[in-house]
Amino acid sequence: MRILISADMEGATGVTWTDDVVPGTPQWQRFRHLFTGDVNATIAGLHTGGANDVLVNEAHSSQRNLLLEELDARVRMLTGRHKPLSMMQGIDSGVDGVVFVGYHAGAGADGVLAHTYLENQITGVWLDGVPASEGRLNAALAAEYGVPVLMVTGDDKTCEDARDYAPDAIGVAVKECVSRYAAICTPPERTMTSLRLAAERAMERAGRYEPRRAPHRIDVEFDATHLAQAAAVVPTVEQTAVRRVGFDAPDMTGAMKAFKVVTAIAAGAVQGIYG
Ligand SMILES: [Zn+2]
């Protein structure tokens, strides 16, 4: 069974603060070990449950966070940036299941380090009119390839969100959100056991499902007008309100590629303190 792990960092065990996830900081160096621990516990459970080909795709920031030297020897890891499908690179119609490790709530929602792609300039994203986290967007992409979301890990708000977009996936809350920068955390010794057992159970749903290819619409709201103006330069993208853009795409793969361009252009237009 082939499984793809999309590994983000904000939802990892113990992470609650900007420095915990910003490359180069001492705290980030510390949390790379805990993050790798979450991924390894998940891998162990997946293998016990029948997986024999696991690809781990790095999905956070520069996408160079996991420690290869500490990673379970049975897997392969896709590390580094500039991948067409970004957080979901590695998805194809031969994958039997995807696991979202270390995920978080979406822009504008309650949750530890909640955001969608850009850390704070995007105030909301909607997929076909529904508020969308990265998990919801990536689950729709997986559905297009007939790949089920088997398990989602992060804080309790992440699991709540996943119950709506992937109701059959197993949610594992490694911490309880108190605020965007605070959580009641469980030590890794316990979260790793929970992750391992859940991943083993999650494998029961692994397998091929009917691909659901359909047109999709994505709307994005920014915290400043010029970011919407900058994003609206992208072909097919229209400015729909003073801080909003939207676009239609024939399928989710196309929608996610356009969304990646929109976020890159907007990020490039951010101006120092005024944003
Ligand atoms: Zn993320």
Side-chain angles (χ1 to χ4, degrees), residues 7-60:
D8 206 350
M9 197 169 183
E10 287 87 352
T13 294
V15 165
T16 61
W17 190 249
T18 307
D19 277 6
D20 299 350
V21 292
V22 171
T25 67
Q27 277 295 92
W28 171 73
Q29 292 290 6
R30 174 187 165 217
F31 279 103
R32 295 176 80 187
H33 296 279
L34 278 86
F35 179 31
T36 306
D38 281 9
V39 170
N40 275 339
T42 304
I43 292 166
L46 292 173
H47 273 90
T48 308
N52 56 9
D53 182 358
V54 177
L55 177 68
V56 181
N57 179 38
E58 290 235 33
H60 172 70

Side-chain angles (χ1 to χ4, degrees), residues 33-101:
H33 296 279
L34 278 86
F35 179 31
T36 306
D38 281 9
V39 170
N40 275 339
T42 304
I43 292 166
L46 292 173
H47 273 90
T48 308
N52 56 9
D53 182 358
V54 177
L55 177 68
V56 181
N57 179 38
E58 290 235 33
H60 172 70
S61 184
S62 57
Q63 308 188 340
R64 311 182 66 82
N65 307 281
L66 289 167
L67 297 162
L68 184 62
E69 57 274 37
E70 290 182 13
L71 202 63
D72 190 307
R74 292 170 289 189
V75 306
R76 293 170 302 138
M77 180 172 90
L78 174 48
T79 190
R81 288 190 67 185
H82 306 303
K83 301 171 286 194
L85 293 178
S86 191
M87 300 178 81
M88 287 294 278
Q89 191 70 29
I91 192 85
D92 63 51
S93 49
V95 174
D96 297 296
V98 63
V99 176
F100 298 159
V101 174

Side-chain angles (χ1 to χ4, degrees), residues 120-124 221-228 243 270 274-275:
N120 59 0
Q121 290 85 11
I122 290 178
T123 53
E221 186 182 81
F222 297 98
D223 68 349
T225 55
H226 70 294
L227 301 184
R243 289 181 292 107
V270 173
Y274 281 76

